[in-house]
Amino acid sequence: MSDTNGPKHHKPREGFTTTLGVLAATLGSAVGLGNIWKFPSLTGQNGGAAFVFVYMICVALIGLPVMISEFIIGRRAQCNNVSCFKELEPDPKKPWYLAGIIGVAAAFLIMFFYTDVAGWVYQYAFRAVTGGLAGATVDKAGAIFGSYIGSVAGPLIWQWIVLVTISVIIIAGVTKGIERITKTLLPILFVLLLICDVRALTLPGAMEGVKYLFNPDFTKITGGVVLAALGLAFFKLSVGMGTMTTYGSYIGKKESLPKTAVRVALADTFVSMLAGLAIFPAVFAFGMKPEAGPSLLFVTIPAMFASMPFGQVFLTMFFVLAAIAATGAMISLLEVPVAYLTEEHHWSRVTATIVSAGAMGVVGSLATLSTSVLSKTLIAGKTFFDLFDFLSSNVALPVGGIVICLFVGWKLGQKVIEAEASNEGELKNLAFLKVFTFIVKYLAPIAILIVLLNGLGIIKA
Ligand code: TRP
């Protein structure tokens, strides 16, 4: 492609107007249950600091370049995640847009289990308000959580409450409102995490947890661990499926795409570390097992607040804010199929939302029941919950990431990369862009492929 000016026939579109607005929106999608629930649970299941180390390498070398690539595609094409590939590659014989379709499928896979966990969070917010967690010790909090996710009706009802909530928001189209809410409330969540950190770090025996998080034992790294870290990097940064392509299309021409991506990745990783520092010291101080996985957040946090003055108030705030962060992330996920169905297939927004959310609820209930009646139903050795989680983060997002890198590196090529990512030469970052081009053309796709095949046990590295 020799024309470096991009498509010109579009009507002027709405977009984010300020640098802070761009950051808040992208961070609003990135920060979610991934930081406070998935990051600690995967870190605990994969051996601690060594996993964190590999995760950070994955963020820097792969997640970040994929995010910049998505921004480039989106800002260049100025449209949704499927149309943008068609826009930049009109030849129907070269079906790059299939990457967009994989993205839509990945949104569903993620939502099947995300709505379940979000339901737990909503329920915990409610329970905290009504005083149901007051004075919970670790044992008591563990028992409450175990019996809750082991029941059938409650978790299903809360999953549907989550789905109805996000559907109403999506149908009303008040994305901007939610963005504004997230922008003001995320800093509060941040402060609460800091309070948790101080409390956790002053518990007797807290240093064990800090060591667990920062003192790596590299013998714990296996192909599966690396794949889990890579999958988490994609999931955390909301990349590999087109959310950032869509957001890229709203970013103004004056913003620096690489700088935006670096800031988002740094801030997001920082939030995850704060969550890790709140949870692991408490895990060790309370004598819990770090491998407990998904339950860590729901047991350590209530137990920790229960031992503090005004604990009930803080606990309520914590879960309400976590619910809001999860809601912001889910809206960016539900919007992906809705935008696709309305723009490409001309469905009405209401129908697209109801059908998508309905499908997420019906199939998602399999994930929800995985902790109760379906706990013994295994597919390839995994419960439905684990299967949806694995297929999305560890298969669909990395495959999407490979295609996105190849598209930007080989189809768009050096000239377009330089034009988009240096704002037509205004930013003096050409040396960086040479490295970036090398990464998206060769390093990232090959590395993702090797990690994927090795993690799936198809090749032995
Ligand atoms: N990043 C979000 C979280 O950590 C989840 C999320 C939102 C996401 N949009 C996404 C994950 C797109 C992958 C792709 O909670």
Side-chain angles (χ1 to χ4, degrees), residues 29-35 110 114 234-236 238-239 241 243 329 332-333 397:
S29 164
V31 172
L33 294 177
N35 308 68
I110 293 173
Y114 206 115
F234 278 100
F235 184 90
K236 265 313 320 119
S238 303
V239 297
M241 55 156 288
T243 299
S332 79
L333 282 160
L397 297 181

mmCIF file of all heavy atoms in Angstrom, residues 29-35 110 114 234-236 238-239 241 243 329 332-333 397, ligand 1:
data_model
loop_
_atom_site.group_PDB
_atom_site.id
_atom_site.type_symbol
_atom_site.label_atom_id
_atom_site.label_comp_id
_atom_site.label_asym_id
_atom_site.label_seq_id
_atom_site.Cartn_x
_atom_site.Cartn_y
_atom_site.Cartn_z
ATOM 1 N N SER A 29 -11.201 -0.192 29.773
ATOM 2 C CA SER A 29 -11.407 -1.530 29.218
ATOM 3 C C SER A 29 -10.388 -2.516 29.785
ATOM 4 O O SER A 29 -10.709 -3.663 30.083
ATOM 5 C CB SER A 29 -11.295 -1.503 27.690
ATOM 6 O OG SER A 29 -11.128 -2.805 27.197
ATOM 7 N N ALA A 30 -9.147 -2.056 29.948
ATOM 8 C CA ALA A 30 -8.084 -2.969 30.393
ATOM 9 C C ALA A 30 -8.249 -3.373 31.860
ATOM 10 O O ALA A 30 -8.144 -4.546 32.207
ATOM 11 C CB ALA A 30 -6.715 -2.315 30.178
ATOM 12 N N VAL A 31 -8.531 -2.391 32.711
ATOM 13 C CA VAL A 31 -8.617 -2.706 34.136
ATOM 14 C C VAL A 31 -9.959 -3.363 34.445
ATOM 15 O O VAL A 31 -11.003 -2.879 34.049
ATOM 16 C CB VAL A 31 -8.454 -1.426 34.985
ATOM 17 C CG1 VAL A 31 -8.736 -1.716 36.455
ATOM 18 C CG2 VAL A 31 -7.055 -0.876 34.830
ATOM 19 N N GLY A 32 -9.901 -4.490 35.120
ATOM 20 C CA GLY A 32 -11.142 -5.205 35.428
ATOM 21 C C GLY A 32 -10.835 -6.381 36.329
ATOM 22 O O GLY A 32 -9.855 -6.360 37.087
ATOM 23 N N LEU A 33 -11.653 -7.408 36.196
ATOM 24 C CA LEU A 33 -11.432 -8.598 37.019
ATOM 25 C C LEU A 33 -10.084 -9.223 36.714
ATOM 26 O O LEU A 33 -9.533 -9.956 37.528
ATOM 27 C CB LEU A 33 -12.543 -9.609 36.761
ATOM 28 C CG LEU A 33 -13.930 -9.157 37.208
ATOM 29 C CD1 LEU A 33 -14.973 -10.194 36.844
ATOM 30 C CD2 LEU A 33 -13.928 -8.916 38.715
ATOM 31 N N GLY A 34 -9.550 -8.928 35.525
ATOM 32 C CA GLY A 34 -8.238 -9.444 35.164
ATOM 33 C C GLY A 34 -7.177 -9.074 36.199
ATOM 34 O O GLY A 34 -6.339 -9.897 36.570
ATOM 35 N N ASN A 35 -7.225 -7.837 36.698
ATOM 36 C CA ASN A 35 -6.206 -7.384 37.655
ATOM 37 C C ASN A 35 -6.425 -7.947 39.045
ATOM 38 O O ASN A 35 -5.482 -8.425 39.683
ATOM 39 C CB ASN A 35 -6.210 -5.863 37.789
ATOM 40 C CG ASN A 35 -6.121 -5.160 36.466
ATOM 41 O OD1 ASN A 35 -7.042 -5.209 35.670
ATOM 42 N ND2 ASN A 35 -4.993 -4.536 36.210
ATOM 43 N N ILE A 110 -15.102 -15.261 26.302
ATOM 44 C CA ILE A 110 -14.708 -14.568 27.536
ATOM 45 C C ILE A 110 -15.941 -14.288 28.391
ATOM 46 O O ILE A 110 -15.955 -14.530 29.597
ATOM 47 C CB ILE A 110 -13.955 -13.257 27.213
ATOM 48 C CG1 ILE A 110 -12.610 -13.569 26.559
ATOM 49 C CG2 ILE A 110 -13.739 -12.428 28.481
ATOM 50 C CD1 ILE A 110 -11.864 -12.364 26.044
ATOM 51 N N TYR A 114 -16.766 -14.700 32.299
ATOM 52 C CA TYR A 114 -16.590 -13.396 32.967
ATOM 53 C C TYR A 114 -17.876 -12.987 33.684
ATOM 54 O O TYR A 114 -17.857 -12.467 34.805
ATOM 55 C CB TYR A 114 -16.219 -12.337 31.925
ATOM 56 C CG TYR A 114 -15.427 -11.151 32.444
ATOM 57 C CD1 TYR A 114 -14.123 -10.921 32.018
ATOM 58 C CD2 TYR A 114 -15.970 -10.238 33.338
ATOM 59 C CE1 TYR A 114 -13.395 -9.830 32.465
ATOM 60 C CE2 TYR A 114 -15.239 -9.148 33.791
ATOM 61 C CZ TYR A 114 -13.956 -8.958 33.348
ATOM 62 O OH TYR A 114 -13.235 -7.884 33.795
ATOM 63 N N PHE A 234 -2.584 -10.972 26.965
ATOM 64 C CA PHE A 234 -3.622 -10.604 25.997
ATOM 65 C C PHE A 234 -4.905 -10.188 26.716
ATOM 66 O O PHE A 234 -5.510 -9.162 26.425
ATOM 67 C CB PHE A 234 -3.931 -11.787 25.064
ATOM 68 C CG PHE A 234 -2.970 -11.919 23.920
ATOM 69 C CD1 PHE A 234 -1.935 -12.849 23.955
ATOM 70 C CD2 PHE A 234 -3.105 -11.120 22.803
ATOM 71 C CE1 PHE A 234 -1.054 -12.969 22.896
ATOM 72 C CE2 PHE A 234 -2.230 -11.232 21.733
ATOM 73 C CZ PHE A 234 -1.196 -12.158 21.778
ATOM 74 N N PHE A 235 -5.325 -11.027 27.669
ATOM 75 C CA PHE A 235 -6.579 -10.784 28.379
ATOM 76 C C PHE A 235 -6.528 -9.461 29.131
ATOM 77 O O PHE A 235 -7.447 -8.652 29.077
ATOM 78 C CB PHE A 235 -6.818 -11.940 29.355
ATOM 79 C CG PHE A 235 -8.124 -11.870 30.097
ATOM 80 C CD1 PHE A 235 -9.267 -12.455 29.586
ATOM 81 C CD2 PHE A 235 -8.198 -11.224 31.322
ATOM 82 C CE1 PHE A 235 -10.471 -12.398 30.271
ATOM 83 C CE2 PHE A 235 -9.400 -11.157 32.017
ATOM 84 C CZ PHE A 235 -10.534 -11.749 31.486
ATOM 85 N N LYS A 236 -5.420 -9.246 29.828
ATOM 86 C CA LYS A 236 -5.278 -8.047 30.641
ATOM 87 C C LYS A 236 -5.345 -6.776 29.809
ATOM 88 O O LYS A 236 -6.013 -5.829 30.163
ATOM 89 C CB LYS A 236 -3.915 -8.072 31.352
ATOM 90 C CG LYS A 236 -3.847 -8.603 32.732
ATOM 91 C CD LYS A 236 -4.890 -8.087 33.687
ATOM 92 C CE LYS A 236 -5.192 -6.650 33.571
ATOM 93 N NZ LYS A 236 -6.561 -6.305 33.235
ATOM 94 N N SER A 238 -6.649 -6.346 27.029
ATOM 95 C CA SER A 238 -7.808 -6.355 26.121
ATOM 96 C C SER A 238 -7.368 -6.374 24.664
ATOM 97 O O SER A 238 -7.936 -5.673 23.829
ATOM 98 C CB SER A 238 -8.714 -5.130 26.323
ATOM 99 O OG SER A 238 -9.164 -5.030 27.639
ATOM 100 N N VAL A 239 -6.344 -7.152 24.335
ATOM 101 C CA VAL A 239 -5.899 -7.201 22.937
ATOM 102 C C VAL A 239 -6.050 -8.600 22.355
ATOM 103 O O VAL A 239 -6.241 -9.569 23.078
ATOM 104 C CB VAL A 239 -4.428 -6.728 22.755
ATOM 105 C CG1 VAL A 239 -4.286 -5.275 23.167
ATOM 106 C CG2 VAL A 239 -3.451 -7.621 23.501
ATOM 107 N N MET A 241 -8.390 -9.288 20.021
ATOM 108 C CA MET A 241 -9.731 -9.504 19.485
ATOM 109 C C MET A 241 -10.417 -8.255 18.938
ATOM 110 O O MET A 241 -11.536 -8.353 18.473
ATOM 111 C CB MET A 241 -10.616 -10.124 20.541
ATOM 112 C CG MET A 241 -10.652 -9.298 21.802
ATOM 113 S SD MET A 241 -12.129 -9.607 22.750
ATOM 114 C CE MET A 241 -13.309 -8.811 21.715
ATOM 115 N N THR A 243 -10.962 -5.039 20.506
ATOM 116 C CA THR A 243 -11.444 -3.941 21.343
ATOM 117 C C THR A 243 -10.577 -2.712 21.105
ATOM 118 O O THR A 243 -11.079 -1.598 20.931
ATOM 119 C CB THR A 243 -11.360 -4.320 22.838
ATOM 120 O OG1 THR A 243 -12.176 -5.458 23.060
ATOM 121 C CG2 THR A 243 -11.846 -3.195 23.717
ATOM 122 N N ALA A 329 -15.438 -3.287 31.896
ATOM 123 C CA ALA A 329 -14.754 -4.224 30.997
ATOM 124 C C ALA A 329 -15.773 -5.037 30.192
ATOM 125 O O ALA A 329 -15.601 -5.248 28.992
ATOM 126 C CB ALA A 329 -13.835 -5.147 31.793
ATOM 127 N N SER A 332 -17.248 -3.224 27.211
ATOM 128 C CA SER A 332 -16.378 -3.202 26.034
ATOM 129 C C SER A 332 -16.395 -4.560 25.333
ATOM 130 O O SER A 332 -16.169 -4.659 24.134
ATOM 131 C CB SER A 332 -14.955 -2.754 26.388
ATOM 132 O OG SER A 332 -14.206 -3.795 26.965
ATOM 133 N N LEU A 333 -16.694 -5.624 26.087
ATOM 134 C CA LEU A 333 -16.773 -6.952 25.467
ATOM 135 C C LEU A 333 -18.100 -7.171 24.739
ATOM 136 O O LEU A 333 -18.129 -7.681 23.628
ATOM 137 C CB LEU A 333 -16.578 -8.039 26.529
ATOM 138 C CG LEU A 333 -15.127 -8.259 26.953
ATOM 139 C CD1 LEU A 333 -15.046 -8.962 28.292
ATOM 140 C CD2 LEU A 333 -14.373 -9.060 25.903
ATOM 141 N N LEU A 397 -7.236 -15.481 21.628
ATOM 142 C CA LEU A 397 -6.539 -14.187 21.655
ATOM 143 C C LEU A 397 -5.137 -14.284 21.044
ATOM 144 O O LEU A 397 -4.762 -13.429 20.234
ATOM 145 C CB LEU A 397 -6.490 -13.616 23.079
ATOM 146 C CG LEU A 397 -7.847 -13.291 23.730
ATOM 147 C CD1 LEU A 397 -7.645 -12.717 25.133
ATOM 148 C CD2 LEU A 397 -8.654 -12.327 22.891
HETATM 149 N N1 TRP B 1 -9.028 -6.571 30.221
HETATM 150 C C1 TRP B 1 -10.242 -6.826 30.924
HETATM 151 C C2 TRP B 1 -9.917 -7.309 32.342
HETATM 152 O O1 TRP B 1 -8.801 -7.436 32.686
HETATM 153 C C3 TRP B 1 -11.124 -7.823 30.224
HETATM 154 C C4 TRP B 1 -11.411 -7.417 28.828
HETATM 155 C C5 TRP B 1 -12.152 -6.345 28.422
HETATM 156 C C6 TRP B 1 -10.903 -8.026 27.669
HETATM 157 N N2 TRP B 1 -12.136 -6.278 27.049
HETATM 158 C C7 TRP B 1 -11.385 -7.296 26.577
HETATM 159 C C8 TRP B 1 -10.098 -9.130 27.475
HETATM 160 C C9 TRP B 1 -11.024 -7.664 25.296
HETATM 161 C C10 TRP B 1 -9.736 -9.485 26.186
HETATM 162 C C11 TRP B 1 -10.191 -8.761 25.111
HETATM 163 O O2 TRP B 1 -10.778 -7.553 33.124
#
